[in-house]
Amino acid sequence: MRRTDPEGHGPVRYGPPLPEDGLPVPPELTEVLAAAATRADAEPIGGGPELIEAACGYWERRGLAVEPARVAAGPGAPALLLALTAAVGGDVLVPRPCAAWWAPYARLLGRPVFHVPTPAECGGVPDPYALLETVRRVRAEGGDPRLLVLSVADDPTATVAPPEMLHECAEAAAGEGLHLVSDETWRDTVHAPHDTVLLSPAEMLPDRVTVVTDLAGALLPTGWPAAVARFPVVEAGRDLHARVLDVLTAMGARIAGPVAAAAAYALEEPGPVTARVAAAVGLHARVAAAVHAAVVATGTLSRPPQAGRHLYADLGPLRAALTAHGVGDAQELEDFLAVRLGMPAPGGHRFGDELGALRVRLSTGPLLGRTDEERAECLASPTPLELPHVQRALIHVKSVFDDLRDDAQRWEPPR
């Protein structure tokens, strides 16, 4: 996570990676990968038949039936988003905050990126009224907004957009003629699936939404890059699919053969995969809830995490204490907490928030242990928060934030 101007905190061009799982690779996946390691032929651009069929089945089980001719695969969601941005053209709209990797790919193509505020209820989707106002302003200034990128299960805020809010946003976007890219990387990591309603905008606007899912969200290790995209079933979806394949071809963006085999296996969701996903999601949900409780007890603001393996914290209420430590913006907060916590704590400026806002994304993966044995123990334990190494990690996080709270109280002016 380099910054380009250490002194002036200039534009951030290198964002943090996805929050890592922190767990050992399941043996079933390593067996599939190893069995395909002798493949000499290259995976076709856009994915081979086995991978595409597996992706179709994955979406059909989620109520998003699609034919193979409307599916493409790539070596990670960034490659697919870059191709989509190039194929759609025009200016790009994203919520604020948003995933760190969305905006850089538009800027790489020379496309303006406009951040739209999110509603109080959630992150990941723009406030519909703010979206309409932003589109109006961009067009009045000679811009050409065409693409809106959003996520229903969000990085960095770890929230899930309520269906009614998503519906209002989708209607506003459709009324302005925007094409939507729905990043659904984290949809399979919802912490309380029986209590949380997660809908895809592709269910609301089937002719205007392309769904992108990075398998590093739930199904594959982050070091095995693979992602799939589902295009609209209408004729325009066929044309967009073809243009995206052209861009992927120009980029040489093909999935490595062994990784494609592992991705197809994971997308078919056999018993070992679904059991592992459920166990990992439950583990990260417990740790995220514990971290959330620890940070909000100090006055830090944070929405309760609902998905993923991270949470987003606003340390604005502790600004006085942080100022005393020489921390005045998100980059300095990132540096400060990374040292104090002993783990990455990327600042909100990497996700499109203002540099002056004291916000960070905290991940749960680094709290699961330092060795594969410790992490595997977390996965197998019915009470992972009681394991000594997890307890130590959580106590350390709590002590860092407790110290900041105590410092803030010390610096409060007398009433």
Side-chain angles (χ1 to χ4, degrees):
M1 295 188 297
R2 285 193 296 145
R3 62 172 108 126
T4 57
D5 182 0
E7 299 300 324
H9 301 338
V12 177
R13 295 191 177 91
Y14 302 93
L18 294 178
E20 294 196 7
D21 186 278
L23 297 168
V25 179
E28 295 82 6
L29 282 180
T30 59
E31 290 171 7
V32 173
L33 188 81
T38 57
R39 283 179 50 177
D41 56 317
E43 185 77 2
I45 292 288
E50 181 182 359
L51 178 55
I52 296 301
E53 287 290 346
C56 289
Y58 169 87
W59 276 310
E60 185 171 1
R61 290 188 293 275
R62 286 153 181 79
L64 294 172
V66 63
E67 59 187 53
R70 296 292 193 276
V71 175
L80 292 175
L81 182 59
L82 177 63
L84 277 161
T85 306
V88 172
D91 301 343
V92 180
L93 302 167
V94 297
R96 170 171 287 162
C98 69
W101 54 274
W102 288 359
Y105 290 95
R107 296 193 184 106
L108 184 64
L109 295 168
R111 303 286 167 73
V113 179
F114 298 93
H115 289 267
V116 186
T118 54
E121 296 90 334
C122 65
V125 301
D127 177 89
Y129 297 103
L131 175 63
L132 292 173
E133 175 58 24
T134 303
V135 171
R136 183 202 63 77
R137 175 176 55 82
V138 171
R139 286 179 176 152
E141 295 174 356
D144 181 23
R146 296 190 203 174
L147 185 64
L148 170 63
V149 188
L150 51 76
S151 58
V152 288
D154 186 44
D155 171 23
T157 66
T159 58
V160 175
E164 59 276 12
M165 182 58 65
L166 180 63
H167 189 267
E168 291 179 17
C169 175
E171 280 194 333
E176 296 299 329
L178 303 178
H179 187 81
L180 280 68
V181 171
S182 177
D183 176 11
E184 300 186 7
T185 295
W186 302 102
R187 72 166 296 153
D188 296 324
T189 67
V190 173
H191 297 173
H194 298 296
D195 301 323
T196 307
V197 179
L198 186 150
L199 292 179
S200 169
E203 299 177 62
M204 303 173 181
L205 297 175
D207 59 338
R208 284 191 173 274
V209 178
T210 298
V211 176
V212 173
T213 300
D214 197 308
L215 304 192
L219 297 175
L220 288 183
T222 55
W224 300 6
V228 288
R230 176 195 182 275
F231 294 82
V233 296
V234 295
E235 186 65 17
R238 182 185 67 82
D239 296 339
L240 180 59
H241 176 265
R243 295 198 300 274
V244 165
L245 289 182
D246 287 341
V247 178
L248 293 175
T249 300
M251 295 165 57
R254 65 179 81 239
I255 303 177
V259 173
Y265 171 79
L267 284 166
E268 289 170 353
E269 298 181 291
V273 168
T274 55
R276 171 58 180 267
V277 169
V281 169
L283 170 61
H284 284 286
R286 293 183 185 186
V287 177
V291 175
H292 179 262
V295 301
V296 298
T298 66
T300 297
L301 305 176
S302 177
R303 296 186 184 101
Q306 297 175 286
R309 34 191 186 252
H310 55 281
L311 58 106
Y312 201 53
D314 183 347
L315 280 72
L318 305 179
R319 184 177 290 274
L322 290 164
T323 300
H325 288 287
V327 175
D329 63 32
Q331 179 63 65
E332 292 167 348
L333 178 61
E334 174 183 305
D335 296 340
F336 175 81
L337 284 181
V339 172
R340 292 295 183 95
L341 295 173
M343 67 182 196
H349 60 308
R350 299 187 182 275
F351 308 102
D353 260 333
E354 297 293 340
L355 180 63
L358 297 177
R359 298 181 184 130
V360 293
R361 186 188 71 188
L362 302 174
S363 299
T364 53
L367 306 176
L368 303 182
R370 297 184 179 276
T371 66
D372 281 349
E373 290 74 19
E374 287 182 342
R375 296 165 185 151
E377 189 179 4
C378 289
L379 199 60
S381 173
T383 54
L385 301 187
E386 297 177 11
L387 294 174
H389 59 276
V390 178
Q391 278 191 334
R392 286 193 299 270
L394 291 173
I395 290 171
H396 179 60
V397 171
K398 186 176 185 302
S399 69
V400 169
F401 279 85
D402 283 348
D403 288 346
L404 288 175
R405 177 200 57 201
D406 295 343
D407 290 346
Q409 292 173 346
R410 194 175 301 119
W411 282 92
E412 279 185 357
R415 297 185 180 181

